[in-house]
Amino acid sequence: MKILLTGTAGQVGGALLPMLQGRADIVAPELEQFDLSRPDELAGKLDSIEPDLIINPAAYTAVDRAEDERDLAFRINAEAPRAIAQWAAPRGVPLVHFSTDYVFDGSGDRPWREDSIPAPLSVYGQSKLAGDRAIAEAGALHVIARTSWVYAASGANFLKTIVRLAGEREQLRIVADQIGAPTTANAISQAVVAMLPRSDDDLHETFEQRGGVVNLVCKGETSWHGFATAIVSGLEARGAKFAVKEIVPIRSDEFPVKAKRPFNSRLDLTRLRERFGITPPSWQQALDRELDALKATF
């Protein structure tokens, strides 16, 4: 089986690559070889690759910058997935794509289900929702994994930002009224690999019977403040020394940003468990693994 894997310079793509190697022929093009900002070129690229399965973690993820770069965000997050799905549908090639909690408005306090009504607050969320809908409209066999608060021990993300700031400042002020599940790229990738059938012959049947949108996050919930506190205390327990003495909880309106974030990013995991038999680790367990990976740098 030949798998096209995009975005391997990113967190999820980078975590998926070593997990998939050895079980299939992996084609992992560089950005200039498979550029989602040029959706009109993708069909030709796919013709030359001829994949049996497409896994597409590549995306435009600059949430605040998207407010000023709407056209680019929609090209990458909506038009490119549409082009990929339109190529895949008539050929029966399954597609694994990735969505986000930002497709919801964050109201209430109940976990969002896959069939909850979306109402994105930001251009980023709107562009991702448009991509989800485009894939479904194209009729491609697909699994859209909806994630939240993604991070890893490498790359640019909340974990790395907190580590840097904790080393520079005595006080951190972190938002405490947004609730979700910090989710590692590793946990997402392990679940995606577990979704794929052992036999190539079962690939189409798996996507036909279990496909659609599925929430894929770590278990449990916390705030950004709770996440930051766990990062610092976890690394201190592993011997790290920081300048920070206090992590202060604040409201979202005390930390203004260009794009509105959902207050409630909880995602219901029932479908993941019932369709695929997958129970992700808790966010604390997943964090421990990433902190162990960072330990060597301190």
Side-chain angles (χ1 to χ4, degrees), residues 1 15 20 47 59 67-68 86 108 122 178 182 202 215 224 246:
M1 178 170 61
L20 291 170
D47 282 338
E67 298 296 310
D68 298 318
Q86 287 177 337
S122 63
Q178 297 173 24
D202 298 329
N215 292 334
W224 290 110
E246 184 181 24

Side-chain angles (χ1 to χ4, degrees), residues 26-269:
I26 309 300
V27 178
E30 301 289 336
L31 173 61
E32 59 271 14
Q33 298 170 317
F34 199 83
D35 188 349
L36 269 63
S37 70
R38 298 179 177 179
D40 292 344
E41 299 178 2
L42 297 181
K45 303 286 188 180
L46 289 162
D47 282 338
S48 64
I49 297 170
E50 294 187 327
D52 302 303
L53 171 66
I54 302 167
I55 303 180
N56 181 45
Y60 182 107
T61 58
V63 176
D64 291 312
R65 199 163 69 235
E67 298 296 310
D68 298 318
E69 295 182 345
R70 180 183 179 88
D71 288 347
L72 179 59
F74 268 79
R75 280 205 308 277
I76 294 172
N77 290 345
E79 295 174 31
R82 182 189 302 278
I84 293 170
Q86 287 177 337
W87 182 91
R91 295 167 176 81
V93 174
L95 168 63
V96 179
H97 186 68
F98 297 85
S99 186
T100 172
D101 58 296
Y102 279 61
V103 301
F104 298 115
D105 64 11
S107 58
D109 57 9
R110 292 185 178 181
W112 297 98
R113 292 166 48 91
E114 290 84 354
D115 57 1
S116 297
I117 298 174
L121 303 173
S122 63
V123 169
Y124 167 70
Q126 293 163 8
S127 70
K128 291 297 289 181
L129 177 60
D132 297 351
R133 288 175 169 168
I135 290 169
E137 289 167 1
L141 293 171
H142 66 273
V143 168
I144 296 175
R146 186 167 285 152
T147 66
S148 74
W149 297 21
V150 180
Y151 72 99
S154 59
N157 53 63
F158 185 82
L159 167 62
K160 299 300 290 292
T161 297
I162 292 300
V163 170
R164 175 177 58 81
L165 294 177
E168 299 171 352
R169 304 178 184 179
E170 292 190 353
Q171 184 189 81
L172 301 183
R173 293 167 55 81
I174 308 295
V175 169
D177 57 3
Q178 297 173 24
I179 306 299
T183 301
T184 62
N186 192 311
I188 293 168
S189 300
Q190 286 182 330
V192 168
V193 171
M195 289 178 182
L196 302 179
R198 293 287 181 183
S199 170
D200 299 352
D201 297 333
D202 298 329
L203 188 62
H204 289 76
E205 183 179 355
T206 295
F207 279 77
E208 286 173 351
Q209 294 183 352
R210 305 181 189 178
V213 179
V214 59
N215 292 334
L216 176 47
V217 294
C218 286
K219 291 189 301 181
E221 63 184 58
T222 188
S223 66
W224 290 110
H225 175 267
F227 187 22
T229 301
I231 291 168
V232 173
S233 62
L235 284 173
E236 287 178 335
R238 290 165 170 79
K241 304 296 182 183
F242 292 117
V244 68
K245 294 180 172 58
E246 184 181 24
I247 304 178
V248 179
I250 63 171
R251 301 185 311 272
S252 294
D253 59 12
E254 297 178 80
F255 187 75
V257 288
K258 182 162 287 190
K260 288 189 69 174
R261 270 70 168 171
F263 286 105
N264 174 23
S265 289
R266 301 170 179 90
L267 297 179
D268 185 280
L269 293 172

Side-chain angles (χ1 to χ4, degrees), residues 5-17 26-30 57-58:
L5 175 63
T6 72
T8 53
Q11 295 178 130
V12 175
L16 271 167
L17 182 58
I26 309 300
V27 178
E30 301 289 336

